[in-house]
Amino acid sequence: MTRRLFLTAAAAGALARPTLSQSVFYRDYTRCLPDYLRQLAKAAYERRNREIGKLTTAEAVRSRQRWVGETFWKLIGGMPQRTPLNARVTGRFERPGYRVEKIVYESQPGLHVSANLYIPTAGRPPYPGVLFQMGHSVNGKAAEHYQKCCQGLARLDYLVLAFDPMGQGERTYYPGPVASRTRLPGGADDEHTVPGKQMLLVGDSSVRLQAWDAVRSLDYLAAHPMVDPKRLASTGQSGGGTNTMLLAAVDDRLAAAAVSCGNTENVACADFNPPGSTDDAEQNFPGSGPLGFDRWDLLWPLAPKPLLLLPSALDFNDTYSPNYISSGREEFRKLKAAYGVMGAGERLAWQDSPLPHNLAYDSRLAIYNWFERWLKGSIREIREEPEVAPEPEETLFVSEGGSVVRAFKGETPFTLTKKRIIARQPAALDRLIGAERPAGQLGAATLATTHFRRVTIETIEIPSALQVWLPGWIYRPKAGGSKPLVVMLDPAGRAGWQEEGLYDTLASEGYAVCALDVRGIGHLGPEYPRGNPRHSGTHNTEQHYAWASLILGKPLVGQRVTDILAAVHALRARPDLASRRLVLAARGILTVPAQMAAALDSRIEMLYLAGGLVSYRNVIETEEYVGGNYAGVAPSRNDLFGGFVPNLLLHTDLPEINASLAPRRVILAGTTDAAGKTMDPAAVRRIHAGANVEVLPAAATDAVALSLAIGG
């Protein structure tokens, strides 16, 4: 069914519903946003499966591999330029069987990477080289189990480079009282995600930063005089396993890889469980769904080289989503078939551990044996780990005080993003945000009618998109009148319904009021996903649904704009409301879709925006902004991330959108900066210079303030 036919049929069906004298049937609105994403995920899953089903020859697999590399760089912001590493050794120490050099180099100009190089003192060089990538340990390369694996590999005659990922260990970018420890509540996840979200606005990503760190680290390792550049491998645990996947997608120098507990779960998978397997910023690929690209594609370019997957069988319950193992096994079978087509089926293996998420002893032994077989051609089996003894963190420090930013006066992801030069390129706003304009005979169906003393109240429902209906109320003065129709959008949902409340008071004064919920808000807040409460509870947030929407190609802000446009279309079709001026009054995070909707529909004749964000530029200039955290620390009604769109600042910003609405009035009341603080009106006026824009000091949304601002 086309969207036009769907909306026409939905409107007709809704209009035929029972009157108040009969039973009133309400939909389960909590399913609207999840069901909409299910449709997008299903289309992405089927699209990818169709392409993979065509890979029946080695040449077809190689073509897919080339496509993966090209698509990956396009999705994450493009391949950076290689710049001088400026590597130097800042210290050394020796232990039985190996020595350690403390290294610092620059993956990008001024962006310092702290690393430890484990060099065997036995055996004969050149040694196989292993790039060890860390999981989300706040102490980075100093984490105990990671040290054990690096030491074990060095004792087995591998030269190992272990480096701190962005935001961990000596590369902590939001330091607390201890320079090597973050002040952010979500630990390493937040260190990746807070800057990662900002990067999206300017066409960059923390995926790109992390992948390039790995490429440049492999550059250093491959060039070492004691390393055999034809025997290079990468391994890592958890986030380090995922970063190994990123490297595998783009660097053909790898001769083998071992991924331990990486995020080997596709977002658009079978039995999609909204919001899906969204994770912190460097594990999400906005725009990948419509292209049929997903996480498992990262591993395809490695074929037919040896690849070992070491998931924890418990991670479907403890760390990742309920689909972690089932999706992983399904995708493993597809990749196994490709290895078979290339005549290398034995080079791909899956060995899950019964232990929880960790680089435990059994996983370390599996890594040792995998590399013995495929990097050394050895048939010996390593049954016991060499003697290892983790060092105190300070012993491994490359920098004085444990902070490369402070010690070497370097850059951070935030400072790099803030300095980025932005050149605007024209773009159609609806395409940029993924908004859809109304189609068909769209109507507001009346489900029930009641009244207060001077006001008639209708419960309405408006079809917006496939499997999405907008619940709302219309308050009309019994005495009639010609004052404006005020469409109210509140992040708390329709909260002003009480007798003598906001809607009643305005309607009693002669206004018509439509209080509406849009996707993710009020009654359209999504149902909980199934699975362990530790996962489902933390993922039932504004930001995870925003991530899922971005990944599947329909930004959440665009979905909300679609809802507003549908509502305006339906309300304007009612004879009893058509003659009234239409004013959109929004608060908080809903001021952003309100502005965008007004830019797309001139029938919105005025905007009243209370407590809204001043600009997206201000987001990338604010180190800690509202809703930056991975763990969903901020309440959803304050989370700015639902309004983020990749590349948005390359094309437009809120001041430009508002200026484009002239001569329509735009009232900015109590505008806030990205940190959530109310700004001085003079500062707001300097940013919003349009003659049609009025600036008020307070974010008042009471009946008196609204009636004074809107007028008759």
Side-chain angles (χ1 to χ4, degrees):
M1 179 179 286
T2 66
R3 184 174 185 272
R4 180 181 297 273
L5 288 174
F6 156 73
L7 292 174
T8 302
L15 288 167
R17 289 192 170 199
T19 64
L20 187 61
S21 61
Q22 301 171 281
S23 297
V24 180
F25 297 98
Y26 294 101
R27 300 179 196 275
D28 183 356
Y29 295 111
T30 66
R31 297 200 60 175
C32 288
L33 177 54
D35 282 349
Y36 180 76
L37 295 182
R38 283 187 180 96
Q39 296 298 318
L40 298 179
K42 182 174 183 290
Y45 174 69
E46 291 175 348
R47 183 179 300 112
R48 182 172 178 274
N49 281 347
R50 283 194 300 271
E51 293 303 313
I52 288 178
K54 301 174 184 177
L55 306 181
T56 58
T57 66
E59 180 52 40
V61 173
R62 286 190 287 269
S63 177
R64 177 78 179 184
Q65 291 174 320
R66 290 189 292 270
W67 177 85
V68 166
E70 293 167 0
T71 303
F72 177 76
W73 284 122
K74 288 177 183 177
L75 285 170
I76 68 172
M79 182 178 178
Q81 291 185 341
R82 276 185 166 84
T83 52
L85 283 172
N86 298 325
R88 57 193 184 276
V89 179
T90 65
R92 297 177 175 84
F93 64 86
E94 188 162 339
R95 297 291 183 263
Y98 65 94
R99 69 179 188 272
V100 174
E101 291 183 354
K102 305 176 184 182
I103 313 292
V104 63
Y105 46 90
E106 298 174 38
S107 59
Q108 299 180 48
L111 190 69
H112 295 93
V113 179
S114 44
N116 296 145
L117 188 68
Y118 293 77
I119 303 172
T121 54
R124 296 178 59 185
Y127 302 107
V130 177
L131 187 65
F132 190 92
Q133 306 211 54
M134 310 300 149
H136 293 178
S137 51
V138 292
N139 57 347
K141 63 188 180 305
E144 180 176 314
H145 288 92
Y146 304 158
Q147 285 198 60
K148 287 181 177 179
C149 194
C150 293
Q151 292 177 14
L153 285 165
R155 295 290 301 273
L156 292 167
D157 298 334
Y158 297 87
L159 197 147
V160 182
L161 181 64
F163 68 97
D164 284 325
M166 68 175 287
Q168 296 171 237
E170 295 182 81
R171 296 180 70 194
T172 296
Y173 296 126
Y174 302 81
V178 177
S180 61
R181 293 294 182 274
T182 183
R183 65 179 180 268
L184 300 179
D189 289 341
D190 279 0
E191 285 270 345
H192 302 165
T193 298
V194 171
K197 290 177 177 177
Q198 292 168 313
M199 291 177 185
L200 293 179
L201 293 171
V202 297
D204 203 352
S205 66
S206 59
V207 185
R208 181 174 180 261
L209 191 152
Q210 298 248 42
W212 196 240
D213 280 353
V215 170
R216 299 314 315 274
S217 297
L218 195 64
D219 285 347
Y220 182 86
L221 181 64
H224 196 280
M226 298 178 71
V227 166
D228 180 353
K230 295 183 179 180
R231 293 189 292 162
L232 297 174
S234 180
T235 190
Q237 158 68 18
S238 189
T242 305
N243 286 347
T244 293
M245 296 164 64
L246 302 182
L247 182 62
V250 297
D251 204 316
D252 61 7
R253 291 174 295 178
L254 290 180
V259 174
S260 177
C261 296
N263 198 343
T264 49
E265 174 183 10
N266 279 352
V267 175
C269 63
D271 194 25
F272 177 73
N273 181 28
S277 60
T278 55
D279 219 295
D280 60 345
E282 94 280 4
Q283 301 183 46
N284 299 329
F285 307 116
S288 57
L291 300 179
F293 182 99
D294 222 315
R295 291 193 184 115
W296 267 83
D297 283 303
L298 301 172
L299 293 169
W300 280 69
L302 196 63
K305 297 172 183 177
L307 170 61
L308 173 64
L309 297 159
L310 295 165
S312 162
L314 295 176
D315 265 348
F316 78 96
N317 191 59
D318 293 344
T319 307
Y320 300 116
S321 94
N323 290 329
Y324 177 69
I325 293 296
S326 59
S327 173
R329 286 177 174 161
E330 177 187 349
E331 295 303 324
F332 176 81
R333 290 191 294 271
K334 297 172 188 174
L335 186 55
K336 187 76 168 178
Y339 267 77
V341 164
M342 302 181 88
E346 79 283 1
R347 294 185 180 184
L348 178 65
W350 171 292
Q351 181 178 324
D352 51 34
S353 170
L355 299 175
H357 189 86
N358 206 324
L359 188 60
Y361 191 84
D362 62 339
S363 296
R364 299 200 300 274
L365 289 182
I367 292 169
Y368 302 152
N369 282 299
W370 190 253
F371 289 159
E372 282 290 302
R373 178 182 180 186
W374 295 111
L375 293 182
K376 292 183 179 178
S378 172
I379 61 171
R380 71 165 173 161
E381 182 180 1
I382 299 169
R383 297 186 178 183
E384 297 292 340
E385 186 173 58
E387 185 176 345
V388 294
E391 305 284 345
E393 181 178 6
E394 293 74 14
T395 303
L396 302 176
F397 277 169
V398 167
S399 59
E400 183 178 352
S403 171
V404 295
V405 175
R406 293 179 180 178
F408 305 120
K409 312 300 181 186
E411 301 280 7
T412 71
F414 169 70
T415 61
L416 290 173
T417 301
K418 186 177 179 180
K419 291 177 181 178
R420 190 152 175 158
I421 297 173
I422 300 171
R424 295 275 199 267
Q425 296 292 328
L429 182 62
D430 52 353
R431 293 185 62 185
L432 180 64
I433 65 176
E436 299 177 36
R437 297 175 185 270
Q441 300 299 314
L442 198 63
T446 299
L447 306 185
T449 304
T450 187
H451 65 93
F452 290 160
R453 291 183 180 85
R454 297 175 297 278
V455 174
T456 298
I457 307 162
E458 294 178 43
T459 296
I460 64 167
E461 181 182 270
I462 300 170
S464 174
L466 188 61
Q467 299 191 34
V468 177
W469 293 265
L470 313 178
W473 293 308
I474 293 178
Y475 284 65
R476 288 181 296 118
K478 291 179 179 178
S482 60
K483 286 187 176 181
L485 164 63
V486 184
V487 179
M488 307 285 296
L489 302 170
D490 195 305
R494 295 167 290 156
W497 66 270
Q498 297 88 349
E499 295 179 44
E500 300 178 358
L502 175 61
Y503 311 149
D504 181 28
T505 302
L506 283 173
S508 296
E509 293 176 3
Y511 295 93
V513 178
C514 176
L516 195 70
D517 287 338
V518 294
R519 270 174 265 191
I521 299 297
H523 289 167
L524 282 168
E527 65 183 359
Y528 268 73
R530 61 183 187 278
N532 189 304
R534 287 176 295 179
H535 185 274
S536 59
T538 58
H539 277 63
N540 193 48
T541 64
E542 172 93 354
Q543 71 161 291
H544 282 286
Y545 273 92
W547 273 123
S549 298
L550 291 175
I551 291 165
L552 296 172
K554 286 289 185 180
L556 185 56
V557 67
Q559 294 178 49
R560 288 171 174 166
V561 170
T562 296
D563 293 343
I564 296 169
L565 296 177
V568 170
H569 188 84
L571 294 170
R572 275 292 177 234
R574 287 183 52 139
D576 59 334
L577 299 175
S579 63
R580 295 176 182 260
R581 287 192 308 122
L582 193 150
V583 176
L584 205 54
R587 189 167 70 87
I589 60 172
L590 293 185
T591 59
V592 168
Q595 292 165 81
M596 293 177 173
L600 296 174
D601 194 332
S602 61
R603 292 176 297 181
I604 300 171
E605 298 173 68
M606 177 182 168
L607 291 176
Y608 182 88
L609 309 171
L613 175 67
V614 66
S615 71
Y616 284 103
R617 178 78 208 189
N618 188 256
V619 173
I620 67 169
E621 293 174 345
T622 303
E623 191 170 35
E624 293 181 61
Y625 54 95
V626 177
N629 304 95
Y630 165 74
V633 175
S636 63
R637 68 186 63 176
N638 298 323
D639 192 338
L640 297 177
F641 186 55
F644 283 25
V645 177
N647 304 307
L648 183 70
L649 278 173
L650 304 182
H651 303 291
T652 191
D653 200 354
L654 299 178
E656 296 166 51
I657 291 174
N658 285 334
S660 75
L661 302 181
R664 289 177 283 168
R665 293 174 65 202
V666 178
I667 298 177
L668 304 180
T671 298
T672 69
D673 62 19
K677 297 178 181 178
T678 301
M679 297 178 64
D680 180 84
V684 177
R685 169 52 69 190
R686 285 193 292 271
I687 297 170
H688 288 263
N692 63 319
V693 177
E694 304 169 36
V695 179
L696 302 178
T701 51
D702 59 277
V704 173
L706 284 170
S707 59
L708 284 173
I710 296 170

